[in-house]
Amino acid sequence: MLCDVTTPQDLDDRFRETLAALPAAERRRDSADPVTDDAPLSGAQLLDLFDAQVTSRQLDLAARWLRSFGEGFYTIGSAGHEGNAAVAAALRPTDPALLHYRSGAFYCVRAAQAAAAQAAAAQAAADPGAAAVPQAAPIRAAAVPQAPADPEPPAEPQALAEVDGSAPPAGAFAAYAEAARDVLRGMVASSREPIAGGRHKVFGRADLAIVPTTSTIASHLPRAVGMGLAVERLRRLDTTGRRGGAGPRAGAVDAPWPPDAIVVCSFGDASVNHASATAAFNTAGWYDHAGLRIPVLFVCEDNGLGISVRSPEGWVEAALRSKPGIRYLSADGADPVQAYAVAAEAAAWVRRHRRPAVLHLRTVRLMGHAGADAESAYRSPGELAADLDRDPVIGTARLLVSAGVATGEELLARYDETGWQVRRLAEEVLGEPKLASAADVVSALAPRRPVRVARAVADAAARASGPGAGARAEAFGGRPPELAGPMTLAQSINSALADGLLDHPQMAVFGEDVAVKGGVYGVTKGLRDRFGAARVFDTLLDETSVLGLGLGAGLAGMLPVPEIQYLAYLHNAEDQLRGEAATMQFFSRGAFRNPMVLRVAGLAYQERFGGHFHNDNSVAVLRDVPGLVVAVPARPDDAAPMLRTCLASAAVDGSVCVFLEPIALYHTRDLYADGDGEWLAGYPEPGAWVAGHVPIGRARVYRVGTADDLTIITFGNGVRMSLRAAAVLAEEGVGTRVMDLRWLAPLPVADIIREASATGRVLVVDETRRSGGVGEGVIAALVDAGYVGAARRVAGVDSFVPLGPAARSVLVSAEAITDGARTLLAR
């Protein structure tokens, strides 16, 4: 039997046999007394944890039952990890949590805590003299007192209620019924599931401060570090939003969590090896070493396995202990009293010192990785039996019985009642509706409210020219940018960033070299001096962590504007955009969002600088991310309004925007001839911002000559080259429309169709690559719209960009554009 002992039926049988064999204690213990003489938990409190653990276990059994007849879609369970119920009990329900996918018991405890806190608040409002917590609530969420100075004793167990241990089983489950229904709805992909709405089975709910994580293979750890840093920065942010005086939009930034909250982030032992985990630990330690505070409690739930791959004995502890700047604590997840005591100590330490710690919680894994996993293929019967002996739910039951809080028979009655209730709920949710159309699925992906975005830009203009005019003039040293004369692309972006920082008190600009140095290309020069190191700051050299800081800051209520120094470096960390940033609203139906405007210096054509790392023209990975906004400003007079649109869209709709800045155009001044200054442009005064507003997904068209013969569709560096080519063609009597896409995602499809149809001849100039480049999307849009005219592409070669003059062999040139146009016109 041992080879199959972790099947659902055998796990259930083993539990029943064990409880039936437990000898009753010699005397009954008062449930209000400590469960043992020196335990931080009373008998009633431990019984509460047992009920949460049992609910989680029965949910795992229900998942396998649902899967057996094709109605369940998720069987990665929490069996063996139920010790995390004690971790939840040691925290406050307002501490934001990013949870491992084996966190069923944690979720149950948190849901009950939040419900009890709401009931207590309602009761206090109705009757201020009443007791703080109603007796019906088995778990409450009273405030935990500030932890004393080191060394701290375990915090008082105020996260659990004092209840009568003889409460009827049905009443015991009542505290967890809502949580159980949430989880079951996720299993059957019900559209009524409270966080993802049937899009994925996740642990998450806004009112529980649980942020959904769609893949807990460490990708959420950088976000957790960012949340911790943001919590601390918001504590210190002055009410003006800028250093040294009131800006146009004075006022404190609203934070979603209390100022003394800590962030908890759980993950499995195999995830310790992931690059994202390494980045997160390193960043937390780096900031701690630098004297900045990151109140994050990492919880490593170590069952010794990553699906079938074993973690080498002692490796996880050695790895976690070696992280500089992160305090290490360990506990046995099969011992609820120890797990609670250590978790309470860890939480109190992080809360008091605002520094990171890691709790190494040793667990087991029961019933395999998921429903299709046959553990007997890679684990011996002895290993499976050893794990069963450490079943945390049985461990809690043994302690309750030996302490005289309950008998095995009474606990089995609670177990059976919970199982019946969970099965009843499972049958109920089976009939609930599912997502039935593409429109339903994508409705939560990336809301677009262009009218509200335009209004936000107008409001910013009104503030800048009205109540904030004085502060704006002061920030610009008495000479606002509209009086500075013609600007380059870099100067225009710099001024727009300054205006953004003035208008958005929650905005922060950060990245490698952006503060003291002012950026490699000077784009952020002077911003730190004007707005202070709390709002413009340098980060360590790690793109994953830069994005993680942005993701966490956005969740915390800030408006992050991180910079990735070069496009090629983004590929090191692109999953933070794809798997984390872009999915947040999708998998939370907008309950959570991480607004962000990511500035990236990129594309090719830098002279005397080089190779592919500094001349990267690969943007396919960005255009492939659903909901992501990708902006490419080519001209100075487009850069500022496009950046304002991105900031407004992030603030209004929670958009994740990539602002891809063509490096080669940063300091370009001329268009046709040296000294003509035709690539410079003035910066608009606030009164002109509304008229110059650039909505997301709208192109710009330049007409050269009659503009009747040819349409060139391009972007970025291609705009300048195409305008030069159009000038040559004009001398040959050819009238050209040069359309700057400006937005690569979403593409300005309506503008593409209109301008293509106007001439019937389209030349797509794509400075990226022929395969996977932007041009493919443009041609596809034309075909989908039924365009019947002539079309041709001029695109970069499918190659990395080499060093020196060889780059010209693989990149688009003005001459190639001219030749392509002539070929097209000759058809």
Side-chain angles (χ1 to χ4, degrees):
M1 264 316 258
L2 280 178
C3 64
D4 297 316
V5 79
T6 56
T7 63
Q9 184 62 51
D10 289 328
L11 186 62
D12 182 68
D13 289 345
R14 174 69 173 258
F15 184 83
R16 294 176 179 282
E17 293 168 4
T18 302
L19 261 64
L22 292 176
E26 293 182 0
R27 66 179 181 86
R28 192 82 177 194
R29 182 183 295 264
D30 187 329
S31 63
D33 292 338
V35 69
T36 61
D37 291 342
D38 59 349
L41 296 172
S42 70
Q45 292 165 340
L46 186 61
L47 195 60
D48 282 338
L49 288 184
F50 174 79
D51 290 333
Q53 292 177 325
V54 166
T55 302
S56 179
R57 178 64 56 86
Q58 292 289 5
L59 286 168
D60 287 351
L61 298 177
R64 305 301 178 102
W65 174 68
L66 290 164
R67 180 67 173 266
S68 70
F69 54 92
E71 291 290 349
F73 306 101
Y74 197 93
T75 55
I76 297 178
S78 304
H81 284 245
E82 291 92 350
N84 57 38
V87 178
L91 296 162
R92 300 179 186 174
T94 51
D95 289 330
L98 299 96
L99 298 181
H100 186 46
Y101 47 44
R102 301 192 189 279
S103 298
F106 186 112
Y107 187 81
C108 289
V109 170
R110 176 61 68 88
Q113 286 176 324
Q118 292 169 3
Q123 180 175 336
D127 183 5
V133 180
Q135 289 297 310
I139 292 185
R140 66 183 172 89
V144 178
Q146 184 70 27
D150 285 336
E152 301 93 342
E156 290 298 317
Q158 295 192 21
L160 300 175
E162 300 293 345
V163 298
D164 183 359
S166 62
F173 178 72
Y176 307 108
E178 186 178 7
R181 191 188 299 273
D182 291 348
V183 175
L184 289 166
R185 281 172 163 164
M187 291 175 183
V188 302
S190 166
S191 61
R192 294 176 182 170
E193 191 270 334
I195 189 69
R199 291 167 181 81
H200 194 41
K201 189 270 182 187
V202 296
F203 291 116
R205 247 175 62 186
D207 61 330
L208 304 185
I210 297 179
V211 180
T213 57
T214 59
S215 173
T216 53
I217 311 302
S219 62
H220 61 305
L221 271 68
R223 181 198 294 275
V225 175
M227 290 167 66
L229 183 64
V231 165
E232 285 305 287
R233 286 195 175 273
L234 290 175
R235 278 161 56 99
R236 291 168 169 76
L237 190 64
D238 66 11
T239 58
T240 67
R242 66 184 287 267
R243 186 180 69 173
R249 199 174 178 186
V253 178
D254 292 331
W257 312 297
D260 63 343
I262 67 172
V263 179
V264 61
C265 176
S266 60
F267 53 96
D269 55 289
S271 295
V272 168
N273 307 299
H274 199 280
S276 296
T278 300
F281 293 138
N282 183 72
T283 301
W286 189 88
Y287 275 113
D288 186 79
H289 186 80
L292 298 176
R293 298 294 160 234
I294 306 282
V296 177
L297 176 60
F298 298 104
V299 181
C300 178
E301 299 186 18
D302 181 5
N303 62 32
L305 289 163
I307 304 183
S308 66
V309 179
R310 290 175 173 80
S311 294
E313 184 66 30
W315 166 250
V316 175
E317 179 176 350
L320 295 176
R321 280 187 179 276
S322 68
K323 305 302 182 187
I326 301 177
R327 184 181 178 188
Y328 174 87
L329 303 94
S330 66
D332 182 1
D335 181 343
V337 171
Q338 185 202 49
Y340 177 82
V342 176
E345 178 187 1
W349 188 87
V350 173
R351 197 179 310 280
R352 176 175 177 78
H353 297 286
R354 319 305 293 171
R355 297 178 63 189
V358 60
L359 171 59
H360 185 189
L361 190 69
R362 291 176 173 83
T363 67
V364 293
R365 189 185 72 189
L366 305 177
M367 293 196 295
H369 175 71
D373 182 29
E375 287 192 292
S376 57
Y378 55 88
R379 302 189 74 190
S380 70
E383 288 180 89
L384 298 176
D387 274 4
L388 281 164
D389 288 340
R390 296 190 64 241
D391 183 337
V393 187
I394 291 177
T396 304
R398 284 195 181 107
L399 183 53
L400 287 166
V401 173
S402 66
V405 177
T407 65
E409 185 176 280
E410 290 169 343
L411 296 180
L412 189 57
R414 300 175 87 95
Y415 176 82
D416 283 337
E417 175 65 22
T418 297
W420 181 85
Q421 296 282 4
V422 167
R423 185 67 62 91
R424 178 182 60 81
L425 288 176
E427 292 175 350
E428 287 181 10
V429 302
L430 278 176
E432 293 183 350
K434 310 289 194 295
L435 295 171
S437 69
D440 289 341
V441 172
V442 303
S443 62
L445 177 61
R448 295 275 184 267
R449 294 178 289 186
V451 174
R452 292 192 183 187
V453 170
R455 187 182 305 132
V457 172
D459 290 344
R463 286 188 291 270
S465 59
R472 184 171 182 266
E474 179 187 349
F476 284 106
R479 192 183 186 199
E482 57 268 25
L483 301 180
M487 289 186 171
T488 63
L489 179 69
Q491 291 168 332
S492 181
I493 294 171
N494 178 279
S495 297
L497 287 170
D499 269 324
L501 285 161
L502 283 164
D503 190 62
H504 298 279
Q506 74 274 36
M507 179 174 159
V509 175
F510 54 91
E512 302 161 19
D513 300 306
V514 304
V516 178
K517 182 181 176 66
V520 173
Y521 297 94
V523 180
T524 55
K525 187 176 179 62
L527 295 181
R528 181 177 181 271
D529 294 337
R530 295 181 203 171
F531 298 98
R535 302 190 64 201
V536 182
F537 57 93
D538 290 322
T539 65
L540 72 176
L541 196 154
D542 177 61
E543 286 73 26
T544 295
S545 296
V546 171
L547 291 177
L549 295 177
L551 295 175
L555 270 176
M558 298 179 68
L559 180 55
V561 183
E563 179 189 287
I564 298 296
Q565 200 165 88
Y566 290 101
L567 177 59
Y569 300 163
L570 176 63
H571 306 309
N572 301 329
E574 59 200 27
D575 185 55
Q576 292 295 301
L577 276 182
R578 183 196 65 83
E580 293 291 320
T583 62
M584 181 51 66
Q585 295 204 80
F586 183 71
F587 287 121
S588 71
R589 294 190 296 178
F592 291 100
R593 61 186 205 168
N594 38 222
M596 182 164 66
V597 179
L598 173 64
R599 294 181 46 252
V600 184
L603 301 175
Y605 298 98
Q606 286 193 87
E607 294 292 336
R608 298 177 296 280
F609 196 74
H612 72 285
F613 270 113
H614 302 100
N615 286 279
D616 185 28
N617 60 353
S618 177
V619 300
V621 69
L622 296 174
R623 295 191 62 247
D624 183 56
V625 179
L628 196 69
V629 174
V630 182
V632 182
R635 297 287 298 258
D637 47 346
D638 278 333
M642 290 174 69
L643 183 54
R644 272 192 289 275
T645 297
C646 287
L647 291 172
S649 182
V652 170
D653 291 330
S655 302
V656 181
C657 304
V658 176
F659 201 72
L660 182 58
E661 302 165 5
I663 298 173
L665 298 179
Y666 269 149
H667 306 299
T668 296
R669 307 177 69 85
D670 306 322
L671 174 56
Y672 301 112
D674 291 346
D676 67 14
E678 291 289 329
W679 204 256
L680 301 174
Y683 189 88
E685 63 179 358
W689 291 1
V690 173
H693 173 57
V694 178
I696 291 174
R698 291 304 307 270
R700 178 177 181 176
V701 179
Y702 301 85
R703 289 172 169 79
V704 182
T706 63
D708 293 333
D709 303 310
L710 173 69
T711 299
I712 299 177
I713 300 177
T714 187
F715 64 96
N717 294 285
V719 178
R720 183 170 181 267
M721 291 186 291
S722 294
L723 287 172
R724 292 165 70 95
V728 173
L729 293 170
E731 294 176 357
E732 301 172 8
V734 176
T736 305
R737 297 167 182 243
V738 176
M739 185 176 120
D740 179 3
L741 293 169
R742 296 196 291 197
W743 307 92
L744 304 188
L747 281 172
V749 174
D751 296 335
I752 290 171
I753 304 307
R754 183 190 66 248
E755 297 302 320
S757 301
T759 64
R761 297 184 185 89
V762 175
L763 182 67
V764 180
V765 176
D766 182 1
E767 67 170 286
T768 59
R769 299 170 188 170
R770 181 163 292 275
S771 300
V774 177
E776 290 181 338
V778 174
I779 295 296
L782 290 169
V783 172
D784 288 347
Y787 173 73
V788 294
R792 183 180 176 85
R793 276 194 298 162
V794 177
V797 174
D798 289 344
S799 169
F800 299 107
V801 180
L803 188 65
R808 302 189 188 104
S809 302
V810 299
L811 296 175
V812 172
S813 66
E815 293 74 20
I817 297 170
T818 306
D819 291 343
R822 290 169 179 149
T823 300
L824 184 61
L825 291 164
R827 289 184 178 179

